[in-house]
Amino acid sequence: MVKVKRGIYDFLRGSFLTDESAFKNWRIIIFVVLLMLVMIYSSHSAEKKVFEISELNKRKRELRAEYVDTGTILMRLKMESTIREKATKRGLQPSETPPKKIKVTIKD
């Protein structure tokens, strides 16, 4: 029990960093710290990409809604009744006589 207590006390004092085999301990500690820094960086990078993907998906939904709205407006503008109404406002009326087909024949 005394040995365990002494080991915990030495660990809390940090004597494992100052004894003869401290060089091995420092190498391991520096390696672990570097791994932790890489892990923190990669998690932040992944989180940043998740937020960016979320923003792009939101923008995509907005653009798709705008595309659908614009398509609906275009379909209304192309309808014959809309074109006829605008032509009537300008003083144009539908023709009474049907159009005639013109045939062009070329003789050699």
Side-chain angles (χ1 to χ4, degrees):
M1 187 70 172
V2 174
K3 203 176 198 183
V4 173
K5 203 179 229 185
R6 178 83 173 153
I8 293 174
Y9 181 68
D10 285 345
F11 179 77
L12 291 175
R13 268 193 13 214
S15 64
F16 68 95
L17 297 174
T18 58
D19 63 0
E20 303 85 34
S21 63
F23 183 68
K24 280 195 234 176
N25 294 338
W26 276 107
R27 285 193 308 183
I28 292 172
I29 290 172
I30 289 172
F31 180 70
V32 168
V33 166
L34 286 175
L35 284 178
M36 288 174 19
L37 288 174
V38 168
M39 188 177 80
I40 290 170
Y41 173 77
S42 66
S43 68
H44 281 296
S45 176
E47 190 172 323
K48 183 179 175 184
K49 288 178 183 176
V50 166
F51 284 130
E52 186 177 341
I53 288 170
S54 173
E55 288 296 320
L56 288 173
N57 280 333
K58 182 180 175 185
R59 179 76 176 132
K60 183 181 86 169
R61 284 192 301 271
E62 290 173 359
L63 289 174
R64 182 160 310 269
E66 184 178 339
Y67 170 76
V68 169
D69 290 343
T70 306
T72 304
I73 292 169
L74 179 64
M75 289 301 286
R76 285 186 191 144
L77 289 175
K78 288 167 74 175
M79 289 174 60
E80 184 181 350
S81 59
T82 307
I83 294 172
R84 189 178 297 252
E85 182 181 315
K86 287 185 179 186
T88 305
K89 286 181 184 177
R90 292 185 179 189
L92 299 174
Q93 294 178 357
S95 175
E96 298 288 328
T97 59
K100 295 181 182 177
K101 212 180 237 188
I102 301 174
K103 279 189 169 180
V104 177
T105 55
I106 300 174
K107 294 183 181 181
D108 292 332

